[in-house]
């Protein structure tokens, strides 16, 4: 990996959440992972113990991968040993995402989100 120097004047990020990465500079590898269970339950109180990850197969299923890596024949001519960034404004980086100013040799990111709503029946609203 050809290394360069990142020169950054200003970065504004409003939100960086759920196993996300913000990096200035080079990195060999990034492997952000995120598991999220979003439950909207109408009219009841509950704790995180009420919905264990083990109850949902999405979190234990084998994640599909690629059988082979894509190889691209290329020639790189580094014109400038610096990466110049004047200003970046980002509202949000979420769920195992990467925002990077620099080189990254390998990335393997994984997100598993189960989102459901538990609503009252109309007859139960009395």
């Amino acid at each position: 990996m050809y290394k360069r120097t990142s020169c950054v004047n200003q970065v504004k990020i409003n939100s960086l959440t759920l196993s996300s990465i913000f990096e200035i500079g080079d990195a060999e590898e990034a492997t952000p992972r995120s598991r999220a269970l979003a439950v909207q339950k109408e009219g009841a109180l509950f704790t995180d113990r009420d919905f264990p990850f083990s109850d949902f197969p999405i979190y234990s299923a084998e994640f599909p991968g690629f059988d082979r890596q894509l190889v691209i024949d290329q020639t790189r001519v580094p014109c400038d040993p610096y990466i110049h960034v004047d200003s970046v404004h980002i509202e949000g980086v979420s769920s195992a995402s990467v925002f990077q100013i620099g080189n990254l040799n390998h990335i393997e990111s994984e997100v598993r989100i189960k989102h459901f709503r538990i609503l009252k029946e109309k007859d139960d609203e009395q």
Side-chain angles (χ1 to χ4, degrees):
M1 172 172 61
Y2 180 75
K3 296 185 179 195
R4 302 192 301 171
T5 301
S6 300
C7 302
V8 180
N9 185 35
Q10 181 180 38
V11 174
K12 291 182 180 180
I13 299 176
N14 189 39
S15 178
L16 184 74
T17 62
L18 299 174
S19 188
S20 294
I21 299 170
F22 165 57
E23 183 163 349
I24 297 176
D26 297 337
E28 182 63 31
E29 183 176 354
T31 55
R33 305 264 191 264
S34 179
R35 295 188 322 166
L37 185 61
V39 180
Q40 292 177 301
K41 188 172 181 182
E42 187 177 40
L45 298 175
F46 57 94
T47 69
D48 58 348
R49 293 187 183 118
D50 293 331
F51 300 96
F53 284 118
S54 60
D55 285 355
F56 304 97
I58 187 173
Y59 300 108
S60 59
E62 183 71 26
F63 204 75
F66 297 103
D67 292 337
R68 62 179 178 86
Q69 286 189 340
L70 181 64
V71 177
I72 300 172
D73 292 327
Q74 59 183 333
T75 302
R76 297 180 188 172
V77 180
C79 299
D80 189 344
Y82 297 95
I83 298 171
H84 299 277
V85 177
D86 182 44
S87 180
V88 177
H89 179 89
I90 296 175
E91 284 301 316
V93 180
S94 180
S95 300
S97 299
V98 175
F99 168 60
Q100 180 170 4
I101 300 170
N103 293 310
L104 180 60
N105 195 36
H106 177 79
I107 183 170
E108 188 174 318
S109 189
E110 179 181 322
V111 177
R112 297 178 189 221
I113 299 173
K114 174 75 174 166
H115 184 183
F116 58 94
R117 294 181 176 101
I118 302 170
L119 302 176
K120 289 182 179 180
E121 295 289 329
K122 288 196 177 201
D123 294 340
D124 293 342
E125 292 180 3
Q126 299 170 4

